[in-house]
Amino acid sequence: MTEQEQAALPFGLRPVINAAGTMTYLGASRVAPRVIDAMSRVLPAFVNMSDLQRRASRVIARATGGEAGCVTASAAAGISVAVAACMTGDDLYRIEQLPDTLDGKSEVIVQKGHVVGYGASLSQAIRLTGATCIEIGAVSGCAGYQLRGAINERTAAVVYVVSHHTVQTGMIGLRDCCAMAAEYGVPVIVDAASEYDLTGFLAAGAALAIYSGHKFLGGPTSGIIAGRKPLVRTCYMQEKGIGRGMKVGKESIVGAMEALEAWLARDADAIRAAEEARIARAEQTLGALEGMRVFRIADPTGNPIVRLAVAPDPLRCGLDASALSRLLAAGEPSVRVRAHEAELGYFQLDPCNVTDEEMDVVCARIAELVRGERSKTSGAAPTAPTPADAALADLLRWPD
Ligand SMILES: *Cc1c(COP(=O)(O)O)cnc(C)c1O
């Protein structure tokens, strides 16, 4: 972040350097100027909202290869809305009655290894509609007979999650899942909130695919639902029911549309090269520190991102990965790293949301802390609560 940008932060907010990735708790993404511009042009005007969503549908269809699309408040909202659509169809009476499912379709099947938390639980996003979440298999594996066995006349949909959060092995693959569900006429909804691939999940047979507008797409907080036209229509119709509290304003719809256009027009190779250069520099700087091991980790779901794992040896650095990440977060500016795997002895630096200058600051701060701690301690690793504990404590104190 440049000094100008820091100075521009409103209401005395502390600046944050985000080496964690695209995190909603850090404000998701840096919205691109052309997206901000499109949003500010629509804000002072009145528009016919269903016309706007109709236009959004066309942009989403072009970007995803789906027949139609609509914009909702977030990907999490998109999951609830998509599940509701599969339960009610276009029956307005049923739409009004949710979460009372009457005698209609009320079960949603999810592989147990896909029941993730993304800050809230996937299961809750499903159950919010009144549906029962039927978890199949085990975290160690799920087989076709378990999917087939769980499907019955009450089955509204299968929800399939593509994410680094899921169990990455032993699950039924998307293509097989869609093929099996199709035999019973059951639609598959893919939660692809954080995925770069806008076309592959629908191409693999998903009825609906859901994306975050504010993650890689770099748009405003929003969710994008794409897929089969009748189902997308019934998603949009949920605004007459449980989707009411999940709808977005004109600015976010336009912002999501413009972010999709910007994404389609981006120079992916140039962006990738810049990210790679940032990682290479950090690898060199941090790898040279005594007691520090660095290694690269490719994104587990195939997003074209390589992150740098930073693994301080607690005995030689005086700090473990968790303590180091908390000290980085507590500094000025606050440096946030990807620490959800700190129990494994490392955190990751994500190159997508930092400038080159910011990455240099991150490396300098790590070097400083490691040297400082080493001179202060006799080598014992501090016992620290996890970053998740720290976040929870912060929530319980809020708004103080
Ligand atoms: C981030 C994420 C979500 C939630 O996305 P929002 O748009 O922030 O609601 C849902 N599922 C997965 C897999 C995610 O990574």
Side-chain angles (χ1 to χ4, degrees), residues 49-376:
M49 291 298 283
S50 61
D51 253 3
L52 178 53
Q53 285 275 18
R54 200 169 269 124
R55 277 157 210 271
S57 175
R58 289 183 203 137
V59 174
I60 295 167
R62 181 155 44 78
T64 63
E67 294 167 1
C70 66
V71 182
T72 181
S74 61
I79 294 163
S80 302
V81 163
V83 164
C86 294
M87 293 164 73
T88 61
D90 61 3
D91 183 334
L92 274 168
Y93 185 73
R94 285 187 183 280
I95 289 171
E96 282 178 9
Q97 296 307 311
L98 291 186
D100 187 338
T101 62
L102 307 178
D103 54 353
K105 292 185 189 299
S106 59
E107 293 184 359
V108 173
I109 299 172
V110 192
Q111 301 184 68
K112 210 177 273 288
H114 284 189
V115 185
V116 298
Y118 36 74
S121 105
L122 175 88
S123 157
Q124 190 180 37
I126 293 168
R127 288 180 293 117
L128 206 50
T129 61
T132 306
C133 187
I134 308 288
E135 297 181 12
I136 58 168
V139 287
S140 52
C142 188
Y145 74 87
Q146 291 167 320
L147 175 57
R148 289 179 191 282
I151 293 177
N152 62 57
E153 69 284 353
R154 292 181 302 281
T155 306
V158 175
V159 169
Y160 191 103
V161 183
V162 182
S163 166
H164 69 272
H165 292 302
T166 68
V167 171
Q168 300 294 323
T169 54
M171 298 294 120
I172 304 172
L174 179 59
R175 235 167 240 289
D176 289 342
C177 179
C178 292
M180 275 184 265
E183 289 173 30
Y184 302 88
V186 171
V188 175
I189 299 166
V190 174
D191 170 7
S194 204
E195 301 309 296
Y196 278 49
D197 181 355
L198 293 183
T199 57
F201 310 119
L202 292 177
L208 295 171
I210 297 164
Y211 297 90
S212 260
H214 49 266
K215 290 189 177 170
F216 297 118
L217 289 170
T221 296
S222 54
I224 293 166
I225 303 177
R228 292 184 202 148
K229 193 183 285 187
L231 268 180
V232 172
R233 182 180 299 123
T234 51
C235 285
Y236 183 48
M237 286 174 74
Q238 301 301 320
E239 289 194 1
K240 297 265 174 227
I242 65 153
R244 169 72 198 199
M246 304 179 187
K247 71 177 191 173
V248 266
K250 59 197 173 186
E251 69 282 8
S252 297
I253 299 173
V254 165
M257 292 163 75
E258 192 66 25
L260 277 172
E261 297 285 12
W263 178 259
L264 295 175
R266 80 198 189 286
D267 184 345
D269 291 341
I271 294 168
R272 185 70 207 92
E275 290 169 358
E276 163 56 31
R278 247 167 254 149
I279 287 297
R281 260 169 86 94
E283 188 174 32
Q284 206 170 28
T285 313
L286 299 177
L289 295 175
E290 199 193 316
M292 187 70 83
R293 192 164 61 89
V294 294
F295 53 97
R296 290 168 178 233
I297 297 184
D299 186 85
T301 64
N303 287 323
I305 309 170
V306 174
R307 302 184 177 95
L308 189 69
V310 178
D313 176 347
L315 294 178
R316 292 166 68 204
C317 295
L319 283 165
D320 64 9
S322 173
L324 182 52
S325 72
R326 283 185 310 108
L327 287 171
L328 286 165
E332 203 65 47
S334 178
V335 168
R336 305 299 292 259
V337 298
R338 199 174 177 85
H340 62 279
E341 291 177 337
E343 287 153 275
L344 300 176
Y346 62 81
F347 58 74
Q348 296 176 55
L349 298 180
D350 181 293
C352 301
N353 297 296
V354 283
T355 62
D356 294 349
E357 295 73 34
E358 287 175 332
M359 189 61 113
D360 288 346
V361 172
V362 173
C363 293
R365 290 281 297 287
I366 292 173
E368 235 172 72
L369 287 167
V370 166
R371 282 197 210 101
E373 285 299 320
R374 187 183 292 138
S375 58
K376 275 196 291 227

